[in-house]
Amino acid sequence: MSTFKLVLLETSDIHGNILPLLYGTNKKAELGLAKVATLIKQERKRNEHTITIDNGDLIQGTPLTYHYARFQRSQPNPMVAILNDLHYDAGVFGNHEFNYGLEMLNQAVKESRYPWLSANIVNSKTGEPYFGKPYLVKSFPGGPRIGILGLTTKYIPHWEKEEHIRGLRFEDVIVTAKKWVRFLKEEENVDLVVVSYHGGFERDLDTSEPTETLTGENQGYELCMEVEGIDILLTGHQHRQIAGKTINGVLVVQPGCHGLTLGKVTVEFQKSQNGFHVVKKDSELLSVDGIEPDSSVLASIQSYEDEVQKWLDQLIGKIKGDMTVTDPLEIRLKDSALMEFINKVQMHAAGVHVSNTALFDNHSRGIPVDVTMRNVVANYIYPNTLVVLKVTGQIVKDALERSASYFELSDDGTTVVVSKTFTTPKPQHYNYDMWEGIQYELDIRKPIGERVTRLEYNGAKLLPHQELEVVMNNYRAGGGGNYMMYKDCPVVKDIPIDVSELIANYILEHEIIEATVNHNWKVVY
């Protein structure tokens, strides 16, 4: 009886991070695809039989990928070029793959020397997989047949601009998996079924208790429990680090984000008269801490990097006053010059008097006195555009209540902390909005759903039926972040220019920006 060992390597949610640095500060960091590349090559030297898969959210996320999308499209996509050179076996579509539109995505797919797998993204007219290949079968001489099925969170239409996904339909992950896993087992006669799913888990992996609202955005747990025949589930999207976990016999893995780790699955087979059978499978995450970046990856990216660094260092204006961030929690408790400024830019671009925006993460440092493009993209990190919705006073109140649930009080009632629903399993600081153009107070001593204690417009109480035109980013306007109250609101206008570009243009136009705070809102505790 012979044995066979296979190693599966997974990257996910790289989000354009190649070099081991943070673009906002240009300081070194223990992350990035260049470091991951070193680990991949090491694993291939140690193991004869390997398969390498990227699980999505590859081509968007850093100034380098933004600059490429805006100014360098005539050149090869740098992210795809690196995966080509690393001889990836397959890739899966993440939700952020669609951020720059189908034209750029189709270009990336065309440039790839590996297949992009997508079973549940189908042509809205024919029902056939839109990108061609739902799965890949990988075989080894004298070894087992491995079936790899690609799936993507079906929730994308809730976030993405319609024109970026026109002609596509995102089918249910569970229904799709049942169809194709059975096909792989019965028609392709594979010995191992690997599902690479750009999605995560809405339940605790140990207790099965819900960890977030069960929306269907992250159906990983259901895939393990309801789809017979899956051996290994590669996941992503939530930026969690998961290894060594098994759900209903399915080994699950998730390698975090930004190239912090490489997911590794080791599978051992035995061959008998009836074929190959799995006798052991386990997983681990390989950290890039202390790993030297791969020199060939660094060389391949250098021309792109030179251009983006010149662009980032352009001086575009000055701030009179203080728009920096010293405490990200404090800036979410009361009005600040930074958030007021971004809302002002949005209102200026949209020609309306009410706006909301968010401090996207806790790494934002704000905008210093001498402003460069680096400062802008470090604070506005997503390629969002703007949408103006017609909303009622009741919808505004409902949205504020959703934001107010971001906070909770410590057990002794003296300290404000961030609710675990916004931090676990994935940090969601970007789902707390701050408004300009209305006056409001949130009292977080009160129960969730009853925290809006003041809500006024132009000095008078905002009535439930009263209509306002509000500008917000396209992610929020589509209901992203469980702001479903916006989902059916009439769209007054779209502003199809990236918000970071609007901010930069506003600073260039005005040259000197005065930092102002009108204290139109606060959190009471």
Side-chain angles (χ1 to χ4, degrees):
M1 186 177 291
S2 62
T3 61
F4 185 96
K5 187 175 87 167
L6 172 69
V7 169
L8 293 163
L9 302 173
E10 179 202 5
T11 53
S12 190
D13 299 271
I14 294 292
H15 282 291
N17 286 275
I18 302 172
L19 301 178
L21 62 80
L22 300 173
Y23 280 98
T25 60
N26 252 8
K27 290 184 178 179
K28 291 184 178 180
E30 295 292 335
L31 52 77
L33 191 54
K35 283 175 169 278
V36 171
T38 299
L39 291 176
I40 290 173
K41 291 180 178 180
Q42 289 175 355
E43 288 301 313
R44 287 175 177 164
K45 285 182 180 179
R46 295 175 185 140
N47 300 283
E48 183 180 359
H49 307 295
T50 63
I51 296 175
T52 308
I53 301 169
D54 182 75
N55 192 55
D57 280 2
L58 173 74
I59 65 173
Q60 176 277 336
T62 59
L64 186 142
T65 52
Y66 175 83
H67 186 266
Y68 167 78
R70 294 290 295 153
F71 306 113
Q72 296 178 297
R73 288 273 299 279
S74 61
Q75 300 181 45
N77 189 300
M79 304 305 298
V80 169
I82 291 172
L83 266 59
N84 283 341
D85 291 343
L86 289 172
H87 305 292
Y88 268 64
D89 293 284
V92 172
F93 297 88
N95 51 296
H96 286 286
E97 254 69 68
F98 297 89
N99 286 172
Y100 297 127
L102 273 179
E103 182 181 349
M104 179 169 156
L105 180 52
N106 284 323
Q107 178 185 336
V109 172
K110 185 177 180 181
E111 291 175 4
S112 302
R113 296 199 295 267
Y114 56 90
W116 290 69
L117 308 179
S118 173
N120 71 309
I121 305 176
V122 302
N123 186 303
S124 60
K125 293 181 179 178
T126 67
E128 295 297 315
Y130 183 89
F131 293 98
K133 290 184 70 71
Y135 67 88
L136 170 70
V137 174
K138 181 85 172 177
S139 58
F140 298 88
R145 285 169 60 81
I146 313 300
I148 305 162
L149 179 67
L151 298 169
T152 301
T153 176
K154 67 179 182 181
Y155 222 61
I156 290 174
H158 290 274
W159 312 310
E160 192 53 74
K161 290 187 286 187
E162 194 277 333
E163 62 265 30
H164 286 179
I165 55 174
R166 189 171 292 141
L168 308 184
R169 186 170 73 245
F170 295 82
E171 297 193 329
D172 183 74
V173 166
I174 306 301
V175 173
T176 303
K178 286 180 178 179
K179 169 187 173 181
W180 288 107
V181 169
R182 186 184 304 115
F183 185 89
L184 285 168
K185 299 284 281 188
E186 297 177 359
E187 302 296 328
E188 291 285 4
N189 298 310
V190 300
D191 301 294
L192 185 81
V193 174
V194 179
V195 173
S196 187
Y197 168 48
H198 189 84
F201 303 91
E202 294 178 336
R203 294 182 180 273
D204 184 277
L205 302 190
D206 296 315
T207 67
S208 80
E209 290 297 314
T211 55
E212 54 193 87
T213 305
L214 299 178
T215 63
E217 177 183 344
N218 295 290
Q219 296 176 280
Y221 194 87
E222 290 76 11
L223 280 168
C224 296
M225 298 301 294
E226 299 177 25
V227 183
E228 185 179 353
I230 300 174
D231 296 293
I232 296 163
L233 179 63
L234 307 179
T235 64
H237 185 54
Q238 291 177 310
H239 298 186
R240 299 170 68 184
Q241 295 189 9
I242 301 170
K245 292 283 187 181
T246 300
I247 302 172
N248 194 31
V250 180
L251 185 68
V252 299
V253 187
Q254 190 170 147
C257 62
H258 301 165
L260 294 169
T261 70
L262 174 67
K264 177 183 177 182
V265 176
T266 304
V267 186
E268 294 181 10
F269 299 83
Q270 280 188 348
K271 184 180 181 182
S272 66
Q273 290 181 341
N274 297 322
F276 284 91
H277 304 279
V278 176
V279 294
K280 185 179 180 182
K281 55 185 178 181
D282 54 44
S283 62
E284 59 186 308
L285 301 181
L286 307 179
S287 172
V288 302
D289 281 3
I291 299 297
E292 285 296 315
D294 182 78
S295 58
S296 60
V297 171
L298 297 181
S300 72
I301 205 67
Q302 194 59 55
S303 63
Y304 297 90
E305 180 67 11
D306 289 343
E307 290 300 313
V308 77
Q309 288 293 344
K310 290 176 187 175
W311 176 69
L312 286 170
D313 286 332
Q314 293 178 39
L315 186 66
I316 59 175
K318 287 184 174 291
I319 303 297
K320 183 180 180 182
D322 186 6
M323 280 194 198
T324 58
V325 177
T326 55
D327 184 340
L329 181 62
E330 185 68 22
I331 208 171
R332 296 184 178 102
L333 291 171
K334 60 184 179 181
D335 195 15
S336 67
L338 176 65
M339 306 318 297
E340 187 167 302
F341 168 66
I342 295 174
N343 274 318
K344 280 182 177 178
V345 172
Q346 294 188 170
M347 291 187 291
H348 175 79
V352 298
H353 303 292
V354 183
S355 171
N356 65 51
T357 191
L359 184 71
F360 292 131
D361 60 34
N362 287 346
H363 303 293
S364 296
R365 294 170 175 259
I367 303 176
V369 172
D370 295 314
V371 190
T372 64
M373 279 301 304
R374 189 185 307 279
N375 305 131
V376 173
V377 299
N379 285 281
Y380 208 99
I381 59 178
Y382 296 115
N384 292 332
T385 58
L386 297 178
V387 177
V388 177
L389 297 181
K390 181 175 286 187
V391 304
T392 64
Q394 184 62 53
I395 287 173
V396 173
K397 184 178 185 296
D398 292 344
L400 287 171
E401 291 288 2
R402 163 64 179 152
S403 284
S405 68
Y406 176 82
F407 301 106
E408 60 185 38
L409 291 174
S410 59
D411 292 339
D412 61 7
T414 61
T415 307
V416 181
V417 295
V418 179
S419 168
K420 291 182 177 62
T421 60
F422 284 79
T423 61
T424 306
K426 174 185 177 179
Q428 298 177 47
H429 302 295
Y430 50 81
N431 283 332
Y432 172 75
D433 288 337
M434 291 159 276
W435 291 62
E436 191 66 28
I438 58 174
Q439 300 80 45
Y440 64 94
E441 290 183 6
L442 309 176
D443 188 342
I444 61 172
R445 298 169 297 185
K446 294 183 177 295
I448 289 176
E450 303 174 16
R451 292 178 166 182
V452 178
T453 54
R454 178 190 176 209
L455 179 54
E456 298 176 354
Y457 176 65
N458 286 339
K461 184 177 180 180
L462 182 61
L463 300 175
H465 64 274
Q466 191 172 346
E467 291 186 335
L468 297 176
E469 292 184 357
V470 180
V471 60
M472 63 191 75
N473 67 57
N474 62 289
Y475 171 79
R476 187 68 80 239
N482 288 328
Y483 284 81
M484 300 308 293
M485 67 287 298
Y486 295 135
K487 199 75 179 73
D488 297 318
C489 292
V491 175
V492 178
K493 70 173 78 170
D494 285 297
I495 298 97
I497 303 172
D498 287 354
V499 179
S500 57
E501 189 173 340
L502 292 171
I503 293 170
N505 289 342
Y506 187 93
I507 296 171
L508 283 164
E509 179 184 345
H510 291 80
E511 297 183 355
I512 298 176
I513 306 296
E514 186 170 355
T516 62
V517 186
N518 61 14
H519 304 291
N520 66 299
W521 67 271
K522 68 178 179 179
V523 175
V524 179
Y525 56 94

